[in-house]
Amino acid sequence: MASMRKWVLVVVKDLQIEWRRKDFGAATVGLGIMAVVVFRVTLGATTRLGPALASAMLWIDCAYVGIITITRIYAREVPENAMLGLGLMPGGRIAIFLAKVFLALMFLQCNQILVLTLIGHGLLLQALNRAVWFELILLLGGLGIALVGTFVSAVGFNVAGDDVVTPLLAALLPLPVLICAAQSTADLWLGKHLGLWLQGLIGYDVVFLVLPMALHEFVWEV
Amino acid sequence: MQKAAGWAVAIVCPVMILALYLNFLGAPDDAVLGPSQRIFYIHMGAAVTAAVAFTVTFAASLAYLATRRQRWDVLAAASAEVGIVFTAMVLVTGILWGRVAWGVWWTWDPRLTTTLMLWALYGGYLIVRDAVDNSDRRARISAVLALVAYVDVPLDYMTIRWWNSVHPLVITNHGLAVAPSMAVAMFMSMAAMLGVYGVWLALRMRLMAVELGIEEAKAVWQNRGI
């Protein structure tokens, strides 16, 4: 119960900080627009966006958000050693991690919605036809990136040269998630059967849900 | 320790000479690829050794988190360092073989991608080790990272089984997909490289233990204001 309360408090605290600073939100919107603009300029305004390219655009954008914003999710706890205070609150420390993952997933889902709206109405309508499956892929892909990004951010918090190490790890570790998610999204748009890619996505999410939960305490040991 | 290292070198040297003989002279040329097939023996030996090295890092990291004994951290780090060198060998020999077999230096095949990822992940592991000054914290954080990075090892092995890949499958459900004379050369190469790994690991561990000793001595001197 105490952990649940802690989880809620951390989520509310971070949302209030975001409401005041709007840095993560701005970065999410900015990166979303930037990725679409770069792709559109490169492809030419008249080129019709196919499922493979649209899928790549969507997940490259998520990777950007994962690397640039989610890996900084613990940075808010640096001033005045706020992490120590959070750690001393009643409830397990894993509640802090899960609250951060939840927030990261929220930002990623907002980013995904933004990019999907910018991609074009044709593909968006196609996605809405299989809305449940589409949301499942977005959620699983987003969760994978959020889990890895948040965990890497926690590791980076404890490492002196985290400016280089954290983005490097955050770029490499979710690669299987990105590959599986991009392939699943493209397959869904093409009307193909979702097989191995979706299973791979679920498998990787499970691994990265279990691993950080098992290892999180070691990261924050004093 | 020095005597043991001498014995190990004395055992590994003849095995390596025999492996090189079989790789370059003993094994027959491939019917399609000709002599360039010989790259495969080095490639396969290095790949198996890299997998063993990262598995040792994984097991030693787990042991460190369970016992907090520094020697497990030293073993994990030394094994990761040597593993990275062997993974680099896998990548280089793979690129050379791929140029002959596929006509391209590199392709974003699942196996190639996950191997490159493996190399970079353990590179990150070593960078993290350098970035933390406190030896206990360094050991703890890098053990956690080693466990996370190890996810890529089984993934790397299974990619060519799960997804469509241009990479050849040597170990199949029905046995080895190479001729018996080639298999002998392949296994000999594996044995020789594992021997080199063992000797190298022992030397690196000894050096790391000395480095840790110097670090601790420096810390003691600083605390005493010397």
Side-chain angles (χ1 to χ4, degrees), chain B residues 12-198:
Chain B
V12 171
C13 271
V15 177
M16 181 52 92
I17 291 167
L18 184 63
L20 288 173
Y21 169 78
L22 288 172
N23 290 354
F24 291 105
L25 300 165
D29 276 352
D30 185 76
V32 180
L33 295 170
S36 63
Q37 166 67 13
R38 294 176 196 284
I39 300 168
F40 159 78
Y41 304 120
I42 314 273
H43 180 74
M44 192 70 184
V48 168
T49 310
V52 169
F54 294 139
T55 307
V56 168
T57 300
F58 172 80
S61 300
L62 214 55
Y64 175 79
L65 290 177
T67 63
R68 301 304 167 106
R69 285 192 184 151
Q70 203 80 47
R71 66 176 179 201
W72 290 118
D73 175 55
V74 170
L75 174 62
S79 191
E81 271 186 20
V82 182
I84 281 181
V85 177
F86 278 99
T87 313
M89 273 174 71
V90 174
L91 288 168
V92 171
T93 51
I95 285 168
L96 295 173
W97 186 88
R99 181 72 183 91
V100 182
W102 304 327
V104 287
W105 292 106
W106 184 266
T107 170
W108 291 104
D109 175 82
R111 168 56 72 83
L112 275 69
T113 310
T114 46
T115 309
L116 184 66
M117 213 175 111
L118 192 68
W119 182 76
L121 276 175
Y122 280 92
Y125 166 85
L126 292 182
I127 295 172
V128 167
R129 288 192 68 84
D130 275 348
V132 187
D133 290 331
N134 179 294
S135 61
D136 288 332
R137 184 189 270 194
R138 176 174 56 216
R140 184 164 42 83
I141 295 290
S142 46
V144 167
L145 263 186
L147 298 182
V148 172
Y150 190 74
V151 172
D152 194 41
V153 175
L155 192 72
D156 191 25
Y157 178 75
M158 293 308 290
T159 43
I160 50 175
R161 287 159 183 85
W162 286 340
W163 288 289
N164 290 330
S165 171
V166 290
H167 192 282
L169 192 61
V170 179
I171 303 161
T172 67
N173 291 336
H174 312 290
L176 289 172
V178 287
S181 54
M182 289 178 169
V184 173
M186 183 183 85
F187 283 122
M188 210 55 197
S189 178
M190 283 181 196
M193 296 236 182
L194 283 170
V196 171
Y197 161 73

Side-chain angles (χ1 to χ4, degrees), chain A residues 117-137:
Chain A
T117 339
L118 292 173
I119 277 174
H121 66 280
L123 285 167
L124 191 62
L125 284 175
Q126 249 176 291
L128 288 174
N129 284 339
R130 294 174 79 182
V132 177
W133 285 107
F134 201 77
E135 177 51 27
L136 182 71
I137 294 169

Side-chain angles (χ1 to χ4, degrees), chain A residues 189-214:
Chain A
W189 266 324
L190 290 166
K192 286 186 188 170
H193 173 68
L194 296 171
L196 209 52
W197 297 114
L198 193 61
Q199 287 169 14
L201 199 55
I202 295 168
Y204 207 79
D205 274 8
V206 169
V207 168
F208 270 93
L209 187 64
V210 173
L211 262 182
M213 286 182 88

